[in-house]
Amino acid sequence: MQVPAAFQYERATSLEQAIELLGRYGPEARVVAGGHSLLPMMKLRLAQPEALIDINGLAELASIRVDGHDLAVGAMVRHAELLSSPVVGEHFPILRDAERVIADPLVRNRGTVGGSLCQADPSEDLSAAFSALRATLVTQGPDGRRTLAIREFFLGPYETALNEAELLVEIRVPIRSHASAYRKVERRVGDWAVVAAGAVLEISGGLITEAGIGLTAVGAPRFVAEGAENFLRGGRPDEERFEEAARIAAGSAGRRPTSAARSTTSGTWPESSPRGRCAPPPHAPGGRRRDMRITVTVNGEQHTRDVEPRLLLVHFLRDELRLTGTHWGCDTSNCGVCTVWLDGTPVKSCTVLAVMADGHEVRTVEGLAHGAELDPVQQGFIACHGLQCGFCTPGMMMTARWLLDHDADPSEEDIREAVSGQMCRCTGYENIVRSIRWAAEHGGARGTADAGTEPAPGREEVRA
């Protein structure tokens, strides 16, 4: 079993407090939100922070809004929220295209936009997309706020321009008439890109007046192909010019595309020293950190325990509460067998700390049945032989239940997309898809209200 080394846990309740805590703990502190990069690194001892500062409660960083002529995206906006935003889809197709191929639906439910950018991973998707859009980043630290162009933010692989005790708070993109798209080559859903490219073109009078080209996974400096952009600017938007721009872009790449490892994406920032480097500290002092008392509502029942901050939610459920229906598999946020609901949203419980669930509601597979009556999803997995070895089944059923609560008649494509973040080691996806379709056809839309757990309300988009 892999668990992080001991650390001090702090939960920030305001942006100012988060900055103060970063200053207090210094470069040995890390900020956590989604945690899909940091927590696996901590379990592997690739990162051993002295302190972890949880900023999931900073609602002021979680809005998507139109502010004058700009789209303003808070750093705490989840990937799933950016993907589903009508405003983003209307004005910036490139962001919608990029979000569709980031990790998998479960990771997108938890991972944040700001975390992805501050990770500065050279194979990250949003970094290329926002760079093509020439976004502006707003940061805040002890000395107040500052703005910088995103192309000045990335200093190198895993290296940003964030200063000590400074946080990314907002991403701003000017709303202009343009055409844009993003395409990614990957081995399977959730992988890092083998290569990916995004393009933004502004055209007026039959000529390209501005061009943005973002590249990822090929070593392009600051995620862009400036030579190709310069070549396109002022020319006609025809196939011949596009082909030449592609040759120039390929020549500007720092390395050839390579096969990609499975992605965990990022939900943390800043993973940086005072100079913005994202390398973890070389070591953290040993010793047990103080236990914390938490109260978590699981399947409608409150449970209070004293736990170490490093205890993962999956182990809290299995070892403290003896709810062993939630399985534990890969330790790296890949396989999804540990899926539960946190405040009505499916998440991978191996990538959530138990202390992060304090004051929140969790629903596990044990909470699916309605008294003595099995949920239609459970019945469907029995009727259509979706159980198979049973290892991935609890997580699959939790995702299926959530899907049917939000779409009573999903297509096969919708079902496959929903479970794409979960690995069936028997490779028996056909039976799983049939099981979920059976549930949809046999009263599958029931379930959430009966269990006393309402889906978490979506954050509203506002216009300023």
Side-chain angles (χ1 to χ4, degrees):
M1 179 174 71
Q2 294 177 346
V3 296
F7 57 85
Q8 188 71 35
Y9 174 84
E10 301 278 1
R11 178 180 291 180
T13 58
S14 69
L15 178 57
E16 291 72 22
Q17 185 189 20
I19 293 169
E20 187 273 327
L21 288 169
L22 279 172
R24 183 196 309 172
Y25 285 103
E28 300 300 305
R30 296 291 181 270
V31 176
V32 65
H36 282 282
S37 286
L38 180 59
L39 289 178
M41 289 173 64
M42 290 173 65
K43 286 189 281 185
L44 294 169
R45 299 302 194 270
L46 297 175
Q48 298 186 47
E50 269 286 312
L52 212 57
I53 301 167
D54 183 352
I55 61 171
N56 279 290
L58 304 191
E60 65 263 41
L61 304 185
S63 68
I64 300 173
R65 59 195 176 91
V66 174
D67 184 7
H69 298 290
D70 290 347
L71 174 73
V73 179
M76 274 295 299
V77 168
R78 311 286 177 176
H79 290 297
E81 294 169 335
L82 192 69
L83 174 59
S84 63
S85 165
V87 171
V88 173
E90 176 187 356
H91 295 292
F92 300 101
I94 187 175
L95 296 179
R96 180 190 57 208
D97 292 349
E99 281 290 4
R100 281 175 175 163
V101 294
I102 288 178
D104 57 62
L106 296 172
V107 170
R108 293 197 292 266
N109 285 342
R110 189 77 178 161
T112 60
V113 174
S116 289
L117 295 182
C118 288
Q119 182 74 358
D121 190 292
S123 297
E124 205 279 314
D125 295 289
L126 282 187
S127 298
F130 277 115
S131 293
L133 287 166
R134 290 181 168 80
T136 299
L137 305 186
V138 181
T139 67
Q140 183 167 331
D143 298 326
R145 292 200 170 193
R146 64 179 178 131
T147 60
L148 64 163
I150 192 168
R151 297 186 181 197
E152 299 172 0
F153 181 73
F154 300 115
L155 304 182
Y158 306 103
E159 186 177 3
T160 74
L162 281 174
N163 295 321
E164 185 174 348
E166 188 174 33
L167 287 171
L168 173 63
V169 297
E170 190 173 70
I171 304 98
R172 300 181 70 90
V173 188
I175 297 175
R176 296 192 292 259
S177 177
H178 71 274
S180 65
Y182 188 85
R183 293 294 181 268
K184 177 177 180 176
V185 177
E186 57 186 342
R187 294 184 306 170
R188 52 156 291 177
V189 171
D191 283 351
W192 290 117
V194 174
V195 62
V200 179
L201 294 179
E202 297 178 31
I203 300 172
S204 179
L207 298 176
I208 300 170
T209 57
E210 187 57 276
I213 298 177
L215 297 175
T216 192
V218 292
R222 302 176 189 265
F223 293 97
V224 294
E226 290 191 48
E229 294 172 341
N230 294 334
F231 173 77
L232 287 171
R233 196 177 296 114
R236 300 190 65 81
D238 54 42
E239 288 298 322
E240 183 178 355
R241 197 165 195 86
F242 292 156
E243 288 177 3
E244 180 59 26
R247 283 191 288 270
I248 295 172
S252 69
R255 62 181 176 85
R256 294 173 60 85
T258 59
S259 60
R262 177 77 167 152
S263 164
T264 57
T265 197
S266 174
T268 63
W269 75 91
E271 300 210 334
S272 58
S273 73
R275 293 176 300 279
R277 295 184 183 275
C278 293
H283 68 276
R288 179 185 176 92
R289 297 298 190 267
R290 62 181 173 86
D291 284 0
M292 301 185 66
R293 176 156 294 186
I294 65 172
T295 298
V296 185
T297 301
V298 182
N299 299 328
E301 181 179 346
Q302 280 195 350
H303 299 271
T304 300
R305 297 286 192 279
D306 292 326
V307 301
E308 278 194 88
R310 65 177 179 164
L311 181 69
L312 300 172
L313 180 57
V314 62
H315 301 314
F316 174 77
L317 296 171
R318 291 178 58 84
D319 301 334
E320 294 287 334
L321 304 187
R322 309 307 298 172
L323 295 173
T324 56
T326 300
H327 292 167
W328 158 64
C330 67
D331 267 326
T332 55
S333 189
N334 289 333
C335 73
V337 301
C338 62
T339 299
V340 299
W341 291 8
L342 181 62
D343 291 336
T345 300
V347 300
K348 298 179 181 182
S349 60
C350 76
T351 320
V352 178
L353 298 169
V355 290
M356 296 168 76
D358 180 32
H360 296 273
E361 295 189 3
V362 174
R363 189 179 181 191
T364 72
V365 68
E366 288 89 349
L368 277 185
H370 313 277
E373 181 184 357
L374 292 179
D375 186 271
V377 169
Q378 294 170 304
Q379 297 177 37
F381 271 73
I382 295 171
C384 298
H385 308 289
L387 296 170
Q388 301 169 110
C389 80
F391 190 63
C392 74
T393 303
M396 290 282 190
M397 289 196 295
M398 295 306 297
T399 298
R401 175 70 275 153
W402 185 90
L403 172 65
L404 295 179
D405 285 344
H406 292 77
D407 183 353
D409 187 27
S411 66
E412 179 176 331
E413 182 180 359
D414 294 333
I415 294 171
R416 291 185 179 275
E417 167 67 14
V419 301
S420 61
Q422 291 158 286
M423 185 183 299
C424 172
R425 289 159 171 82
C426 304
T427 67
Y429 294 98
E430 289 295 332
N431 286 349
I432 291 170
V433 172
R434 282 196 289 267
S435 299
I436 298 172
R437 278 302 310 158
W438 187 98
E441 295 164 1
H442 292 79
R446 57 179 293 195
T448 300
D450 294 332
T453 304
E454 295 293 338
R459 297 186 179 105
E460 294 183 356
E461 294 175 344
V462 297
R463 294 179 181 265

